[in-house]
Amino acid sequence: MNHRPGVADRLDSLRRRTRRITPGTVLVRGGAFVFAAAALLVAVPAGVLVMPAAAVVLVAGAAGAALAPRTRLTTIVLLLAVVGWLAATTAYGEPVTLTRLVALSSLLYLTHTTTALAAVLPYDTIVAPSVLLRWLTRTVVVLAASAGFAVAAVLGVQAAGGRAYLGAAVVGVLLVAALAALLAMLRRR
Amino acid sequence: MTDAWVPTRAFGRAILMTGLLVLVAVLTGRYDLVVLAAPFALGTALSLRRRPTSLPAPELSTFDGRIVEGDDFAVRVSVANPDPVGLDLILFRLSLPRWVRVRRGDHPYAAPADAGSLAEIELEGTALRWGRHALGPLAVHGVACDGLLVTLRLDCEPLPIRAYPMTDPFRADEAMPRAAGLIGQHHSRRPGEGGELAGVREFAPGDRLRRIDWRVTLRTRRVHVVSTLSDRDAEVVLLLDVLHEAGESGGTGGAASVMDTTVRAAAGIAEHYLHRGDRVAMLEYGFRPRRLRPATGRRQYLTVLEWLLDAKPSSGAYEQDAGAFGAHLLNANALVIVLTPLLDQRSAAMIAGLARSGRFVVAVDTLPPDLRPATDTGWGPLAYRLWRMSRENVVGLLREHGVPVVAWAGAGSLDQVLRDVARMATGPKAFLR
C-alpha cells in the first residue's frame, strides 16, 4: 500500500532540512537573492517598480534564483533584468548613466556567479571560508576589469559622438568572434 | 577536455547571456548592452583560461580499523588534486552505515584544492554496535573554472571498520565438570602435578625428590611425599543459536536484541575461560553452521572476536543435515554453553539431543526480558500469553532432560548451574549413545 506523506510529514521533513542548513550556504544563497533583487531593482524602470505586482515579481524572481540555483530561473531573472533595462532606457526614456550601467552589469554578473556557486553547494554543505574567499577574489577581478571596460566604453561613446552605433557593432562583432573562438577551443580540447 | 569534466548550467548561461546581449547590441547599435555582456564574456574567458584535466583522487583512511563497539575512532578524508590547475573547491559526502555515527559526517563538505595539493578533513566517529561496518563510499565532485565545470561523481572505496563486541562482564568460580589435559587452572579430582594439596603419603617409585615432606619423614622415620591434585584445563564450547533475531537493537547503551546478547555474552564467556587457560571452541547453530576449532590463549580470544563479527541470523525453512551439525562436532568432555533465545522448536530439540548424547549442556536464555510483540489487534495479548506459556513449557522440558536454563545476567550468572553440572559430572551416568 502506498503511503502518501501528509502535511505533518512534509512539515516535519521541512523542519529537519531547515535544521541542517549551514551558515556558508546561507551566505551564498542570501548573496544570490540580494544580487538578483538588486539587479532587477536597478534595471526595471521606476514607473514599473511602484506597482505592487512588480515587487512580487522582484522578490519571487530573486528568491527563485537563490532557492533553485540549478534551474533555469537564474537565466530567466537575468533576461528579465535585461528586458527591464531595455524598457527603462527606451519606452520610459530613462538616461543611460555610467553609475547605473556599471551597477547593473556588476549585479548581473554577481547574480550569475553566485548562483553558479550555490548550484554546486547542497544546502547543508559545510563550506571552508577559504573557498568563499577565493571565489570572491576572482569575482572582484572580473568586476574590476568589467568596470574599467564600462568606463572606457562610456567615455569612448561620448568621444565618438554620433558614431556609437558603429562602435557598438564593431565591439560586439569582436566579442562574438572571441566567444566563437573560445567555444571552438573548448571543443577541440 | 577530459570527459569527466562536464560543463554546468552556469556555463551555458554565460554563453547565452554573452551571445544574446552582443547580438542585440549589434542589431540595435546599443553599446550599453555590450557593457552588460562584458563581465560574462570576461569572466568566462578568465575562468576557462586554465582548465584542469586530471581528476581529484579521494582516499579514506583511519588509524583505528579495529575498535570495540562504543569506542571513538578518527576518519581522515583526503582528496588530492594532482592537476597543475587549482580547483574552486572539492565537494565530498560520506555515506554512513546504520551503526556508525560520525560527528557532522552526514553533511557534505566543500574544501579548497589548490594545484597539486591535498585537501584533508579529520572526522570523529563512534561505532554504535558490533560488527563489520563499511564507512562510505565517499562521493566526490570537483568544481573548477568558477563553477563552469564540474566532474562527474567520483567514488572512493568504503573503509572497513571492525567493531568488536563489548564483552559482558562474566565470572564463573565453579570447577569444570570434566577437566582434561595436564595444564590449566581447574583443580581436578585426580592426583598429579599441581598446586592443590591432596595429602601426604609414603614415598613410592617414580615420586620426585623435591616432593618429599621432610618434617613427616623425620617424625615417622620413613620417606613421605606430598601428593597434589593435578591442574587440568577444560574445553568449553560456545554454541550460538542464530536461527532467529528478535528485539530491536539500540546499539551500545540501548536495548539489546537477541544477537546483541548472544554475541556480547559469548565474547565475555570466551574471554573468561581463555584467560583461565581453557580451550574454547565456537559453533553456530543456523542454516549454515560455522565452527571455530578449540584453542587457548590470547590469539584464540582475538580469533573468537573476529569470528563473532560474522555472526548474523541465518534461518532456513529446512531441517539441517544431520551430518552438518551434531554431537560429533563436540568433544565428549566439553562443557557446552548454548546461547539461545529458544524461539524455535529446532533449537530445543538440538539442545535436548546434545544432553541425551551425554554432553554437559547449559542453556543461556538470550531472549530480551522486555520483548513484547506488536499487540494492536484484539487477539494480540492472548496470543502473546499462549506463546509465553508454550515457551515456558519448552524450558521445563529441557530442565527435565537435565539441561539447566538460565537467563543471561552477566557476571556470576552461570555459577549456580555450573555447580550443579559439576556435581552431576561426578556421579554415575546413564545415557543413550
Side-chain angles (χ1 to χ4, degrees):
Chain A
M1 192 170 67
N2 286 334
H3 172 69
R4 296 186 64 185
V7 178
D9 292 339
R10 286 168 193 270
L11 280 175
D12 190 47
S13 166
L14 185 68
R15 209 174 295 125
R16 267 187 282 116
R17 287 164 66 100
T18 309
R19 271 201 296 270
R20 290 177 55 82
I21 292 175
T22 53
T25 56
V26 170
L27 193 67
V28 173
R29 284 163 194 255
F33 174 79
V34 170
F35 295 140
L40 288 171
L41 209 61
V42 170
V44 175
V48 175
L49 279 177
V50 294
M51 291 190 283
V56 173
V57 171
L58 189 143
V59 172
L67 294 175
R70 291 178 196 177
T71 63
R72 290 195 172 85
L73 274 173
T74 307
T75 312
I76 292 170
V77 168
L78 293 178
L79 290 176
L80 208 63
V82 172
V83 170
W85 169 254
L86 286 174
T89 51
T90 53
Y92 285 82
E94 293 178 6
V96 178
T97 60
L98 177 64
T99 319
R100 194 175 173 190
L101 189 59
V102 170
L104 182 60
S105 69
S106 302
L107 287 168
L108 287 179
Y109 182 71
L110 279 168
T111 306
H112 158 72
T113 193
T114 317
T115 49
L117 177 58
V120 295
L121 294 177
Y123 69 98
D124 54 348
T125 310
I126 295 173
V127 189
S130 54
V131 169
L132 300 179
L133 201 65
R134 179 192 166 103
W135 200 282
L136 191 67
T137 310
R138 292 182 67 148
T139 305
V140 167
V141 170
V142 172
L143 290 182
S146 303
F149 175 76
V151 172
V154 171
L155 292 178
V157 166
Q158 283 173 359
R163 285 176 294 172
Y165 180 89
L166 183 66
V170 169
V171 175
V173 167
L174 284 176
L175 270 177
V176 167
L179 197 65
L182 181 71
L183 288 174
M185 190 177 69
L186 281 178
R187 199 170 176 76
R188 265 206 312 279
R189 284 197 186 180
Chain B
M1 186 169 16
T2 312
D3 288 343
W5 287 95
V6 292
T8 60
R9 192 179 283 276
F11 183 88
R13 185 168 63 228
I15 300 295
L16 174 74
M17 289 303 293
T18 311
L20 198 68
L21 285 168
V22 168
L23 186 70
V24 177
V26 169
L27 291 178
T28 59
R30 292 187 56 138
Y31 77 95
D32 55 333
L33 296 184
V34 178
V35 173
L36 293 185
F40 288 100
L42 202 61
T44 308
L46 282 176
S47 302
L48 296 176
R49 190 169 46 90
R50 297 186 70 205
R51 282 165 295 131
T53 50
S54 312
L55 293 173
E59 189 185 347
L60 272 174
S61 60
T62 179
F63 296 116
D64 319 304
R66 296 174 184 185
I67 51 170
V68 176
E69 59 177 332
D71 279 1
D72 290 343
F73 63 94
V75 183
R76 176 175 293 168
V77 181
S78 49
V79 186
N81 174 24
D83 206 90
V85 178
L87 306 183
D88 296 335
L89 59 99
I90 285 176
L91 187 75
F92 54 87
R93 186 192 285 270
L94 187 62
S95 301
L96 298 177
R98 184 185 173 196
W99 294 110
V100 171
R101 183 183 297 148
V102 175
R103 274 175 278 288
R104 298 183 76 84
D106 55 342
H107 285 268
Y109 281 81
D114 292 329
S117 71
L118 188 71
E120 280 189 333
I121 287 186
E122 291 245 357
L123 298 171
E124 281 191 7
T126 311
L128 300 177
R129 192 182 182 224
W130 58 272
R132 296 184 192 276
H133 307 295
L135 198 62
L138 180 73
V140 176
H141 289 278
V143 180
C145 304
D146 290 336
L148 300 184
L149 297 176
V150 291
T151 60
L152 299 175
R153 176 179 160 145
L154 306 167
D155 275 339
C156 173
E157 286 294 306
L159 179 71
I161 301 280
R162 278 180 276 191
Y164 294 129
M166 192 164 41
T167 51
D168 271 354
F170 177 74
R171 173 176 54 80
D173 300 327
E174 286 306 311
M176 279 286 149
R178 275 189 192 167
L182 282 169
I183 51 169
Q185 297 193 7
H186 299 288
H187 307 309
S188 74
R189 285 169 176 77
R190 294 179 184 176
E193 295 285 326
E196 186 78 359
L197 184 68
V200 178
R201 60 173 171 76
E202 212 167 308
F203 181 84
D207 282 338
R208 295 189 174 187
L209 293 177
R210 65 186 173 90
R211 292 223 170 243
I212 295 174
D213 187 334
W214 293 107
R215 189 178 297 172
V216 179
T217 301
L218 286 173
R219 196 171 59 233
T220 59
R221 299 291 177 179
R222 297 180 73 86
V223 181
H224 277 73
V225 290
V226 174
S227 68
T228 53
L229 295 175
S230 60
D231 289 340
R232 305 295 174 103
D233 73 339
E235 182 175 324
V236 180
V237 177
L238 296 174
L239 180 50
L240 276 60
D241 176 2
V242 292
L243 281 178
H244 298 287
E245 167 70 307
E248 190 73 28
S249 175
T252 50
S257 68
V258 165
M259 287 305 295
D260 285 346
T261 308
T262 302
V263 167
R264 288 169 189 156
I269 296 171
E271 184 186 24
H272 169 78
Y273 283 115
L274 286 169
H275 184 69
R276 292 181 63 153
D278 295 321
R279 281 171 288 125
V280 172
M282 310 290 289
L283 197 58
E284 235 179 36
Y285 182 67
F287 187 60
R288 288 193 181 85
R290 293 192 302 138
R291 188 183 179 207
L292 180 66
R293 291 180 182 280
T296 58
R298 178 157 178 79
R299 173 178 282 190
Q300 175 72 351
Y301 176 56
L302 295 175
T303 312
V304 165
L305 289 180
E306 196 78 27
W307 188 87
L308 284 171
L309 291 182
D310 294 319
K312 58 186 172 211
S314 64
S315 178
Y318 302 101
E319 289 290 330
Q320 282 197 343
D321 182 12
F325 188 91
H328 64 280
L329 292 174
L330 309 172
N331 188 328
N333 292 323
L335 168 67
V336 184
I337 299 178
V338 186
L339 297 152
T340 173
L342 288 171
L343 288 172
D344 199 307
Q345 290 293 336
R346 287 177 290 180
S347 305
M350 178 268 294
I351 295 169
L354 290 178
R356 272 202 304 272
S357 68
R359 303 303 191 275
F360 303 101
V361 184
V362 175
V364 178
D365 185 0
T366 55
L367 194 72
D370 52 350
L371 182 70
R372 291 284 181 276
T375 53
D376 40 353
T377 60
W379 294 99
L382 186 61
Y384 175 66
R385 278 173 56 202
L386 279 171
W387 173 75
R388 291 297 308 191
M389 287 164 66
S390 163
R391 191 168 178 279
E392 279 162 21
N393 191 35
V394 170
V395 170
L397 285 171
L398 282 175
R399 284 188 177 132
E400 281 180 12
H401 274 78
V403 178
V405 181
V406 285
W408 175 251
S413 57
L414 299 188
D415 265 356
Q416 179 61 45
V417 289
L418 287 177
R419 193 178 301 131
D420 293 344
V421 170
R423 196 179 299 129
M424 279 163 54
T426 60
K429 292 172 71 76
F431 52 81
L432 295 171
R433 279 194 186 272

